[in-house]
Amino acid sequence: VPDWNLMELPENVSFREAAMLEPLSVALHAVKRSGVKPGDTAAVIGTGMIGFAAAAWAKALGAETVFVIGRGEAKRAIAEQIPGISYVTEAVGTPQAVSSAVLLARPGGSIVLMGNPSGDLAMEKNVYWRILRKQLNLMGTWNSSYEKDEACDWTEALDALSKKKIPAQALITHCFPSEKLMDGLELMKNHKEPYCKVMVSWE
């Protein structure tokens, strides 16, 4: 690995926390794209690791209220009860999640699409009309920025870990020893129980 790719870890950042740097940086990149500011109201659609990380970043960047919306029919009912959200991050990649993002956003609000698409995404006419009539700002995000020895998403994420601004440890729900790798993969494949980030320790 070229040394350009290496970052020195502060003593107070554990290896488990450091293993979260890449997804944390991706979530940070998306939230910064939305333009969320101190005092704003933000929402994240998706309760996967990236979705929870995006919610944590929105809060760390000063959002006064952050809603996290998960799967299920209750999602739409919740969305209809939440008025005027300025910044919505979509972290699922399904037509339903995009529709919910459009429904949640206040007029003139911003939506960042971050979820990997589940397939071809069709858009209902009424959803498209809402985008037009609310004059929404719709944008995409991809990956994160990394620059050696310069400020970037990765250095910002590492600084936040060092200062304990992001609860990375809380996002790690399972950690298996290397000999239990298949147990971890089976857990994720079959959704045997709720999980956020599943890790394998190769100590």
Side-chain angles (χ1 to χ4, degrees):
V1 177
D3 63 3
W4 182 86
N5 289 308
L6 302 177
M7 296 177 70
E8 185 175 355
L9 295 181
E11 289 293 330
N12 66 341
V13 175
S14 70
F15 287 126
R16 288 188 184 189
E17 290 174 316
M20 302 286 279
L21 269 173
E22 192 275 338
L24 286 175
S25 297
V26 169
L28 171 62
H29 189 77
V31 173
K32 288 197 302 189
R33 288 270 297 150
S34 76
V36 66
K37 302 180 299 299
D40 284 333
T41 299
V44 177
I45 297 174
T47 54
M49 191 268 144
I50 295 285
F52 280 127
W57 278 120
K59 198 71 177 172
L61 293 175
E64 185 173 339
T65 304
V66 179
F67 295 98
V68 178
I69 299 162
R71 294 179 182 176
E73 280 302 310
K75 176 172 63 177
R76 186 170 297 276
I78 293 170
E80 290 170 351
Q81 295 176 42
I82 301 172
I85 293 176
S86 304
Y87 303 97
V88 182
T89 301
E90 185 282 321
V92 180
T94 63
Q96 295 83 6
V98 174
S99 297
S100 293
V102 172
L103 180 66
L104 283 167
R106 68 164 175 77
S110 295
I111 298 171
V112 176
L113 301 177
M114 179 172 57
N116 292 332
S118 59
D120 291 340
L121 302 184
M123 183 176 288
E124 295 177 6
K125 184 178 179 180
N126 284 338
V127 173
Y128 186 79
W129 272 121
R130 283 194 180 101
I131 295 171
L132 299 183
R133 289 174 175 164
K134 288 183 174 183
Q135 299 188 85
L136 298 178
N137 300 299
L138 195 64
M139 65 193 87
T141 184
W142 186 248
N143 216 322
S144 57
S145 68
Y146 175 74
E147 295 294 335
K148 180 66 174 174
D149 299 325
E150 292 183 25
C152 62
D153 296 327
W154 282 68
T155 58
E156 194 170 338
L158 183 57
D159 182 65
L161 285 178
S162 178
K163 294 176 179 174
K164 308 306 177 188
K165 291 182 177 179
I166 294 292
Q169 195 66 41
L171 300 175
I172 304 168
T173 53
H174 298 78
C175 190
F176 293 90
S178 57
E179 62 269 19
K180 299 284 189 179
L181 168 64
M182 295 307 295
D183 292 345
L185 294 174
E186 187 179 351
L187 170 84
M188 293 189 297
K189 178 182 179 183
N190 298 320
H191 296 273
K192 285 187 165 184
E193 57 186 88
Y195 66 87
C196 187
K197 175 58 73 176
V198 178
M199 285 191 177
V200 175
S201 175
W202 297 89
E203 298 174 2

